[in-house]
Amino acid sequence: SRINKNRINSESKLKCLMLGCGNSALPRQLYESHGGLTHVTCFDYSLPCIEMQQKMHSSECPNMSFIHGDATSLVECLAKQNNLSSEAQYDVIIDKGLIDALMCGEGWDADVKRLLSGASDVLRKPGGLYILVSYKLASHTKEFIQNSEASSLEWNFDLPHESSSVVSFSTARSNESE
């Protein structure tokens, strides 16, 4: 994994949402890199992936939770699955390929807007961090993401030390006060 564990603050009680976790080892790596102090929520549309993550990690990772749902309805899914208010706050959201997957479908622009709007709603304000790992984004796609009126995120695309000619490592910070 190219994500440097020192880039994510390892303070106790940090809450991380892994959108589109799939069968990735990254949720466990994040969990272990902070000694289990970080609460990692695995979120995916695929029930088999969530069940696999849960089977692999739930007994050894008490601060890891698993949610099956549609990320374009993020607030509603989190409220329903966790019996929490729609204002569940995360310090970090990691999107490793979810926007790429959404962009493959018809109506991708509306789906990406809904995703970013939901992420803005559940990301801690101010200063919550959205990490986007994707295929290299075209300039018009970056502009679309940056200018999404549904989002309160301020973007930095293609961070030089993490990105390559094929992979884009970008971050955004929430900028609204609570």
Side-chain angles (χ1 to χ4, degrees):
S1 170
R2 297 192 67 193
I3 296 177
N4 181 340
K5 68 181 180 181
N6 295 324
R7 284 201 162 270
I8 300 173
N9 185 352
S10 62
E11 68 186 45
S12 178
K13 307 297 182 195
L14 190 72
K15 290 177 67 179
C16 178
L17 176 62
M18 178 83 187
L19 290 175
C21 64
N23 61 1
S24 175
L26 184 56
R28 181 66 176 254
Q29 291 169 339
L30 287 169
Y31 187 89
E32 289 179 350
S33 70
H34 298 129
L37 296 176
T38 297
H39 182 93
V40 177
T41 301
C42 299
F43 188 103
D44 203 281
Y45 188 75
S46 168
L47 185 57
C49 286
I50 288 298
E51 289 172 342
M52 182 207 69
Q53 289 280 7
Q54 192 168 13
K55 183 177 181 182
M56 288 175 31
H57 306 304
S58 64
S59 64
E60 298 172 5
C61 304
N63 285 331
M64 189 178 284
S65 58
F66 311 89
I67 298 176
H68 169 247
D70 182 351
T72 65
S73 300
L74 189 57
V75 173
E76 296 83 0
C77 288
L78 291 173
K80 179 181 170 188
Q81 297 289 331
N82 288 333
N83 292 324
L84 297 173
S85 74
S86 62
E87 298 177 14
Q89 299 292 300
Y90 288 90
D91 300 291
V92 179
I93 294 176
I94 299 176
D95 172 344
K96 190 173 134 274
L98 179 57
I99 283 183
D100 290 331
L102 292 175
M103 289 174 44
C104 291
E106 274 189 52
W108 69 267
D109 51 341
D111 287 341
V112 170
K113 278 185 182 181
R114 284 193 300 271
L115 169 66
L116 294 176
S117 175
S120 289
D121 288 344
V122 302
L123 199 56
R124 178 180 48 83
K125 295 167 190 67
L129 178 65
Y130 190 107
I131 298 172
L132 172 62
V133 182
S134 64
Y135 284 111
K136 203 63 157 181
L137 297 171
S139 59
H140 68 277
T141 304
K142 292 177 195 175
E143 188 175 313
F144 173 82
I145 291 171
Q146 180 69 51
N147 295 326
S148 176
E149 70 277 358
S151 169
S152 65
L153 301 173
E154 293 182 7
W155 286 91
N156 290 305
F157 293 102
D158 301 320
L159 297 178
H161 297 292
E162 286 83 4
S163 298
S164 71
S165 62
V166 179
V167 174
S168 178
F169 187 99
S170 305
T171 62
R173 290 265 181 199
S174 59
N175 60 11
E176 288 181 356
S177 297
E178 291 190 66

